[in-house]
Amino acid sequence: PYFTLFRFQLYRVITSPLVCSSILNLFFAFMGFMNHGVKLEQSMGSALFGVLFFKLTIFTNLLFLVVSILLYGLTNNDGYLAGVSVGVWTVLLSIIATECAQAPPNSKRKLFFLEIPVLYYPLVLLALFSLFAGFKLAYCLGVAVGYLQGFGKLDRWKVKVETARKWESERGCLR
């Protein structure tokens, strides 16, 4: 929040998923994205998937900024201003939560040898991440924004399918 708000580096709200902390982090994020992202892109189309990706990124980062500023105001702890929301995992967890919120209610997802009800799958992933990498506020907010998207609470900012088709058509801006 410090650089984004007080140094006016607003581009960080959009570019944060492009920053990874390690090559191992990038590798596992890529593997996770290959599983969920490709299927979702094929079902939605590239333009709608890109809009969803950046919409979830922007909403998660704006929520991260608000929560961090509120926590700083309540605790006067500078650590909340120095906190970061970076990496593709934040958006990937958000996309997984979106997908799971829209799945049929009685379906299950496999995680290693466990079968988890689809609605709780993102929360189990979040708990697993927190267990191994420590608590990350951005991941929690990413899952929350994903659930909001999945349950239709962010539909006000939805791009129409016809508009996305025009972008992807032969005369569209994405060709």
Side-chain angles (χ1 to χ4, degrees):
Y2 176 76
F3 289 105
T4 305
L5 296 175
F6 302 119
R7 298 286 185 184
F8 208 64
Q9 296 178 1
L10 299 178
Y11 61 88
R12 290 174 179 261
V13 173
I14 297 171
T15 60
S16 67
L18 305 176
V19 178
C20 279
S21 57
S22 70
I23 192 72
L24 196 58
N25 188 345
L26 182 64
F27 174 74
F28 284 115
F30 176 72
M31 296 306 290
F33 216 63
M34 287 300 293
N35 189 20
H36 295 284
V38 171
K39 290 178 190 174
L40 196 58
E41 182 194 6
Q42 289 173 349
S43 67
M44 297 176 72
S46 297
L48 283 177
F49 181 75
V51 168
L52 175 68
F53 183 88
F54 284 109
K55 177 175 147 181
L56 294 174
T57 298
I58 290 167
F59 274 93
T60 301
N61 285 330
L62 291 177
L63 187 59
F64 180 79
L65 290 172
V66 168
V67 170
S68 295
I69 294 297
L70 286 174
L71 289 173
Y72 170 73
L74 291 172
T75 64
N76 206 22
N77 182 351
D78 291 338
Y80 290 114
L81 291 180
V84 293
S85 172
V86 296
V88 74
W89 277 112
T90 304
V91 183
L92 183 57
L93 286 170
S94 193
I95 288 172
I96 292 169
T98 299
E99 190 180 26
C100 288
Q102 295 173 344
N106 294 330
S107 58
K108 296 186 182 275
R109 286 268 175 100
K110 202 165 185 104
L111 182 67
F112 303 117
F113 57 88
L114 299 172
E115 285 203 5
I116 300 161
V118 71
L119 192 59
Y120 302 114
Y121 182 74
L123 297 174
V124 171
L125 279 180
L126 180 63
L128 190 67
F129 278 37
S130 296
L131 181 68
F132 290 115
F135 175 79
K136 298 211 186 300
L137 178 61
Y139 291 175
C140 295
L141 296 176
V143 169
V145 168
Y147 277 127
L148 287 173
Q149 171 69 28
F151 290 127
K153 303 300 182 191
L154 301 179
D155 282 350
R156 176 180 286 178
W157 295 278
K158 195 174 188 176
V159 173
K160 293 180 182 173
V161 176
E162 299 85 35
T163 305
R165 300 280 185 246
K166 287 179 187 175
W167 292 344
E168 291 179 336
S169 70
E170 286 185 29
R171 295 184 179 203
C173 62
L174 297 179
R175 285 287 172 187

